[in-house]
Amino acid sequence: MHNIFTFLTRNRWMMVMSLSFVICHLSISSAGAQSLYGQNMRMGEMFYESGCLRQAEKYVQAAIDNAGPNDKHQWLSARLQMINILKFWRPVEAYNINEEIAEDCKAYPELHQKSLALNAAISFWLNNKDDFKDYNDEYLRFSNQTEGLPTVYDKPLQAMGEALSGYYNQALNTINQHIPTSVLRHELRLHIFQMKGDDKAVIKEMQLRTATVDSLSAVMYNTNLSEASTTNSMTVAQKQAEERSYRMMMLSLLMGLIILGMFAIWVYLHRRNQKKLEDKNEQLSTALKMASETDQMKSEFVKRVSHEIRTPLNAITGFNEILNNPDIPLPQEERQELIDRISENVKAITGIVDELLQVANTESTQDYARYDTVLCNQFLSNLIYSHREEVKADIELRYTTKVINRFSIQTNQETLEKIVEHLIGNAIKFTQHGFIELNCDQEEDTVKISLTDTGCGIPADKQDEVFEEFVKADAFRQGIGLGLTVSRRLAQKMGGNLELDKTYTDGARFVLTLPIQ
């Protein structure tokens, strides 16, 4: 792959050669089209001058078809010549074509001038005096404002304007003096005689027009022979040019495909290497971010554990100093109270240590074997009612069930007890009045154990993260925020899950789901 890349970078001449072939091919094709365009335009003009309008239309249409694809001027010139032919016998069609190209003609002053003149002439052949005046005024205004334009259209338009104004003799005089014998001269005179209603003059002019066309036809006969010869030569030359062009095109195409293929390989390799580099950068960035987060979590963990342990330790130290100070006389009742307080704080420290040990245990990959058969109603009711002494008098402990008394599950009893005990302990901690209810229900092949309380509940902004490590619903309550994390992990180790019921709003409700077997 490296050799291919080196080949591409060091052999630029191949790309230049391929481009040269393409340019040469385009030049040959363009030259052939240019030759055919010029020949067809000349033939069209000759037939137009001789009065053979259908033949003129055929050749001008061929010129339109052979106009260079990038030469707008050629194409517009041929279209205007077509309009010039059609204006005598299909003026409406000529007008529509002129409207289509009028905007493009404005880019070329001489073509724009011709377009305006043709619109005025078409209006004359349609006997539309008002339109003729508008177009003729625009033609004169543009011609006077633009230098270097031809005046070939001036006298014919002048004669047309005089005829439309009713000055027929003046119009005929203008034609006779300024327009030489041609198809245009006869067509103008014929139209004016028709406008006058002079039938004799119309017949005579038609005879003159026929004579003129016949005399030109003899010339065109020889021209047609030359045209046939010329066309044949043009056809042979065109075929030869097309064959050369085809061979050159195929060679150019082959070279282009080779270079394109090499370029595609280079792009593929470049993108693959770029992707590898981006992936490595992303992995490095992720690793650095994780390391930073880990350091931050460690610092947060040390601070939180230090704070949670320091508080009961300070209490233990203070109470111990009082108990062991002989200078402070204490009644037996107060002494016992201090001993109980010391015992509570020792229990608090032990609970923190237990939570940390449980987190460490849940990080292991071992599963918690489910070898114990547990009668749910008996087991759960005993757990909830064992906390009667810990709750206030106005808090009701309840156990409700939707399963029969002999209903049992296959699980790890010790682990299940830890989870439920933690949920009950949390409920007692955060419930000041109302009730704490433990419920058991069966759903298909699972058992659902829910713990509901009427305490302060979980704030909405904490509900999605309450199972994350070190997250506490109440920052001022004792604990390091690992209980729910440990409980969910234990539930998952036994094939179940622990979730918060967000639809319950009168306190908090946690739902433990476990498989029956």
Side-chain angles (χ1 to χ4, degrees), residues 295-337:
D295 289 340
Q296 186 176 355
M297 288 177 63
K298 286 180 181 178
S299 300
E300 187 66 26
F301 171 76
V302 171
K303 289 179 183 177
R304 184 164 294 183
V305 172
S306 298
H307 172 75
E308 294 296 333
I309 293 178
R310 186 182 296 112
T311 301
L313 278 178
N314 289 339
I316 292 171
T317 302
F319 295 149
N320 185 59
E321 288 179 356
I322 293 173
L323 287 173
N324 292 306
N325 192 338
D327 297 330
I328 302 176
L330 289 173
Q332 184 59 33
E333 183 178 341
E334 292 183 6
R335 181 178 294 275
Q336 185 59 45
E337 183 181 352

Side-chain angles (χ1 to χ4, degrees), residues 431-498:
T431 305
Q432 302 301 319
H433 56 80
F435 65 86
I436 299 173
E437 178 181 288
L438 187 62
N439 175 268
C440 182
D441 191 9
Q442 180 184 3
E443 186 174 296
E444 297 181 354
D445 56 350
T446 62
V447 61
K448 285 195 170 184
I449 302 169
S450 63
L451 196 287
T452 306
D453 63 51
T454 55
C456 59
I458 308 295
D461 61 334
K462 297 285 187 180
Q463 289 183 355
D464 291 330
E465 55 186 35
V466 72
F467 290 102
E468 295 180 8
E469 294 179 352
F470 309 117
V471 173
K472 297 170 64 176
D474 186 348
F476 298 100
R477 296 278 184 172
Q478 192 177 42
I480 57 176
L482 291 174
L484 289 174
T485 304
V486 171
S487 298
R488 169 175 274 188
R489 290 181 182 176
L490 292 175
Q492 292 171 345
K493 289 282 186 179
M494 293 193 297
N497 199 15
L498 177 63

Side-chain angles (χ1 to χ4, degrees), residues 68-136:
N70 298 319
D71 195 332
K72 194 76 170 179
H73 188 279
Q74 274 191 358
W75 185 79
L76 290 172
S77 298
R79 296 281 280 179
L80 287 171
Q81 184 59 21
M82 178 66 77
I83 296 167
N84 193 37
I85 296 168
L86 296 177
K87 71 177 184 293
F88 297 123
W89 54 314
R90 302 210 304 267
V92 175
E93 182 180 343
Y95 177 80
N96 291 334
I97 297 173
N98 205 8
E99 284 294 297
E100 291 176 5
I101 65 173
E103 193 64 31
D104 290 335
C105 286
K106 291 180 180 179
Y108 310 96
E110 73 281 5
L111 299 185
H112 183 46
Q113 181 200 34
K114 186 172 183 178
S115 174
L116 294 174
L118 286 171
N119 264 342
I122 292 168
S123 301
F124 169 75
W125 255 271
L126 291 172
N127 295 319
N128 193 324
K129 181 179 178 180
D130 294 335
D131 283 354
F132 175 84
K133 184 179 184 309
D134 292 339
Y135 285 120
N136 189 49

Side-chain angles (χ1 to χ4, degrees), residues 270-433:
H270 177 72
R271 288 186 177 178
R272 189 178 69 175
N273 293 335
Q274 191 72 19
K275 184 67 169 59
K276 286 182 179 179
L277 182 61
E278 289 175 358
D279 290 343
K280 288 181 179 179
N281 288 338
E282 185 176 351
Q283 291 173 3
L284 180 60
S285 177
T286 302
L288 290 173
K289 184 178 179 181
M290 290 177 63
S292 176
E293 290 177 353
T294 302
D295 289 340
Q296 186 176 355
M297 288 177 63
K298 286 180 181 178
S299 300
E300 187 66 26
F301 171 76
V302 171
K303 289 179 183 177
R304 184 164 294 183
V305 172
S306 298
H307 172 75
E308 294 296 333
I309 293 178
R310 186 182 296 112
T311 301
L313 278 178
N314 289 339
I316 292 171
T317 302
F319 295 149
N320 185 59
E321 288 179 356
I322 293 173
L323 287 173
N324 292 306
N325 192 338
D327 297 330
I328 302 176
L330 289 173
Q332 184 59 33
E333 183 178 341
E334 292 183 6
R335 181 178 294 275
Q336 185 59 45
E337 183 181 352
L338 291 177
I339 292 173
D340 291 342
R341 297 286 294 277
I342 290 174
S343 178
E344 290 175 4
N345 283 283
V346 169
K347 183 186 285 187
I349 295 175
T350 303
I352 293 172
V353 174
D354 285 344
E355 282 189 4
L356 295 174
L357 290 175
Q358 288 174 3
V359 169
N361 289 335
T362 57
E363 292 291 343
S364 67
T365 57
Q366 68 177 23
D367 291 327
Y368 286 72
R370 303 193 299 273
Y371 297 144
D372 303 323
T373 301
V374 177
L375 293 170
C376 289
N377 287 337
Q378 179 182 346
F379 176 75
L380 295 174
S381 61
N382 288 340
L383 281 182
I384 185 71
Y385 292 128
S386 67
H387 292 275
R388 285 193 185 95
E389 301 299 326
E390 302 173 27
V391 300
K392 296 180 179 179
D394 58 345
I395 297 177
E396 179 186 1
L397 292 180
R398 301 177 187 171
Y399 175 72
T400 58
T401 182
K402 294 183 180 179
V403 299
I404 58 177
N405 283 336
R406 63 176 179 271
F407 176 77
S408 64
I409 60 174
Q410 201 75 21
T411 188
N412 187 300
Q413 181 171 332
E414 181 182 356
T415 304
L416 175 60
E417 183 175 348
K418 286 180 181 179
I419 297 172
V420 177
E421 282 284 4
H422 179 78
L423 295 177
I424 296 172
N426 265 6
I428 293 172
K429 187 187 302 183
F430 293 104
T431 305
Q432 302 301 319
H433 56 80

